[in-house]
Amino acid sequence: MLEELYQLEAKAKNELEAITDVEGLEAWRLAYFGKKGALTMLLRGIGKLPAEERPQAGNIANQVKSALEAAFEQRQEAVRRAALAEELAQGAMDVRLPGRPPSLGYLHISTQTLREIYDIFARLGFHVFRSREVEDDVTNFQMLNLPPDHPARDMWSTFYTTEPGVLLRTHTSPGQIHAMRKYHPEPFRVILPGKCYRYEQVSTRHEHMFFQVEGLAIGKHITMADLKGVLESFARQMFGANRRLRFRPSYFPFTEPSAEADMDCILCGGEGCQICKQTGWLEILGCGMVHPQVLRNGGYDPDEYSGFAFGMGPERIAMLKHGITDIRYFFANDLRFLQQFP
Ligand code: FA5
């Protein structure tokens, strides 16, 4: 009997070791612990043993039973863990979110246009000269022949600060005075880009804040032909090789003579259309020969030196170039607009 018990224990443990799934475990349990299981039957047999053998056999039988129960539980736990591990590995769900790709920024359409303008003028020998956005009345107006109460000031009505005589510049032209004073007495060629501010009725073509690019060339024997040549070259590089310019007499207190430069319409080529209001021409900038008094204010002797100046609005240039119909889009911060110019 004892021999049988030990053999059964060894066999049962061996079988248990080989079991890898729940079904196998259940079959094993039935085979040994079931109603007709091998261990159950052996245990029943103990009752039939002679009385003197019974206690020892009962003892051993209980030990075997406990050992097998413990081995079964151990195996059951191992199988459960293995099953769980496999399930996790197989049905693994990736709960991580895909990363958010950082969206690359790009330059604002005004900045892109400015840089295009810088490139063109750099090729023509102009470098960039920056001057302040907060100006004084003297430099913004008076040095440019706009004394207090001059009627032309109306065109450039602006934002004044609480500091008397301090204002946001209305155009980049006061930069002419700063540049001349810096480079005097040398000849020089600069463009002066930057933001300007005007207190005016906002419309499809007018903003409170906008960029300008001023141009200024000072030297001996500079004539209006130089001005025309530079501007024609600019228009052709910016808008296409066949562009034509015309110069219309105009008035600015700080240039004499003064002109507006018009370019043949890029849409109709001069035939007349909606963009050019049937005229065939598009106004692109104001310009002229630097007024003798302005030269003097900058430190140059007008008997020896002359110069030309011009001022354009890069937003207006970009509007023409890209067919933008309303200047208010530029600084409204609407991505639907800005993303059209990556
Ligand atoms: C001037 O500001 C002169 N200082 C230009 C100049 C410089 C003339 C040097 C002669 C010599 P005007 O006010 O026309 O001129 O402005 C020049 C350009 O700035 C305009 O053609 C336009 O493109 C742009 N501009 C003017 N006002 C606005 C505005 N409110 N919104 C957007 N662009 C504007």
Side-chain angles (χ1 to χ4, degrees):
M1 179 73 178
L2 295 183
E3 193 55 30
E4 271 181 83
L5 274 168
Y6 289 134
Q7 273 176 10
L8 179 130
E9 183 182 1
K11 181 169 174 266
K13 279 187 171 168
N14 261 345
E15 284 175 18
L16 199 57
E17 284 302 302
I19 291 174
T20 54
D21 53 16
V22 182
E23 291 77 23
L25 281 172
E26 184 57 13
W28 184 93
R29 196 185 63 77
L30 286 175
Y32 292 94
F33 290 92
K35 265 190 193 163
K36 291 189 178 153
L39 184 64
T40 316
M41 302 304 274
L42 265 184
L43 291 178
R44 270 191 210 147
I46 289 175
K48 293 174 195 146
L49 289 175
E52 63 277 13
E53 286 179 27
R54 245 183 265 157
Q56 198 197 4
N59 230 349
I60 301 291
N62 276 337
Q63 278 174 21
V64 168
K65 187 179 174 215
S66 305
L68 287 184
E69 274 171 356
F72 178 78
E73 261 167 45
Q74 243 180 32
R75 193 71 206 150
Q76 194 177 37
E77 179 61 16
V79 166
R80 200 183 59 75
R81 277 190 199 188
L84 182 67
E86 192 176 317
E87 191 183 314
L88 284 177
Q90 273 183 3
M93 185 173 64
D94 189 351
V95 292
R96 293 167 303 171
L97 280 175
R100 288 187 198 128
S103 57
L104 278 186
Y106 43 83
L107 296 174
H108 187 278
I109 177 65
S110 291
T111 310
Q112 291 183 36
T113 312
L114 282 168
R115 292 194 178 181
E116 241 177 293
I117 296 171
Y118 302 162
D119 281 350
I120 294 172
F121 282 105
R123 289 194 284 272
L124 292 166
F126 288 72
H127 69 259
V128 171
F129 183 88
R130 294 188 187 274
S131 79
R132 60 185 70 137
E133 280 176 37
V134 179
E135 263 298 353
D136 52 48
D137 187 282
V138 173
T139 321
N140 192 77
F141 290 127
Q142 297 175 41
M143 291 286 166
L144 300 172
N145 293 337
L146 287 134
D149 303 322
H150 189 291
R153 281 200 182 204
D154 289 354
M155 283 197 295
W156 292 294
S157 181
T158 192
F159 298 101
Y160 291 86
T161 66
T162 46
E163 193 73 27
V166 177
L167 46 85
L168 298 185
R169 68 174 171 195
T170 56
H171 50 178
T172 42
S173 299
Q176 290 189 23
I177 302 294
H178 294 298
M180 282 192 275
R181 290 184 176 177
K182 164 137 196 228
Y183 292 113
H184 169 268
E186 299 298 322
F188 69 92
R189 265 175 273 176
V190 290
I191 50 171
L192 307 111
K195 281 186 209 127
C196 304
Y197 303 83
R198 288 185 195 178
Y199 176 60
E200 63 184 336
Q201 183 78 46
V202 168
S203 73
T204 53
R205 292 175 58 74
H206 296 86
E207 262 289 10
H208 289 309
M209 184 202 82
F210 53 94
F211 279 92
Q212 277 192 348
V213 178
E214 186 100 0
L216 178 65
I218 302 288
K220 293 181 177 172
H221 317 299
I222 289 187
T223 69
M224 200 143 181
D226 299 311
L227 169 65
K228 289 179 76 174
V230 163
L231 291 179
E232 224 156 62
S233 176
F234 164 73
R236 289 178 180 165
Q237 292 185 59
M238 192 76 188
F239 291 103
N242 299 323
R243 295 273 72 93
R244 284 176 298 135
L245 287 190
R246 75 171 183 188
F247 291 79
R248 258 184 307 119
S250 182
Y251 172 73
F252 295 102
F254 34 89
T255 46
E256 180 59 37
S258 303
E260 296 283 347
D262 299 340
M263 180 176 71
D264 60 328
C265 177
I266 46 176
L267 197 69
C268 64
E271 297 289 307
C273 70
Q274 238 185 338
I275 283 210
C276 60
K277 301 198 190 87
Q278 310 303 331
T279 63
W281 296 96
L282 298 164
E283 184 183 311
I284 59 165
L285 50 82
C287 59
M289 300 306 290
V290 180
H291 192 286
Q293 185 55 42
V294 175
L295 280 171
R296 259 183 234 115
N297 293 342
Y300 287 83
D301 177 357
D303 289 333
E304 236 187 300
Y305 286 88
S306 57
F308 66 73
F310 56 85
M312 67 179 90
E315 280 84 23
R316 298 262 184 94
I317 301 278
M319 286 169 82
L320 287 177
K321 206 167 164 158
H322 302 287
I324 299 164
T325 50
D326 194 324
I327 200 169
R328 288 169 290 194
Y329 288 133
F330 282 81
F331 302 112
N333 258 349
D334 187 334
L335 286 179
R336 289 170 302 179
F337 171 75
L338 297 173
Q339 284 172 341
Q340 293 179 46
F341 309 99

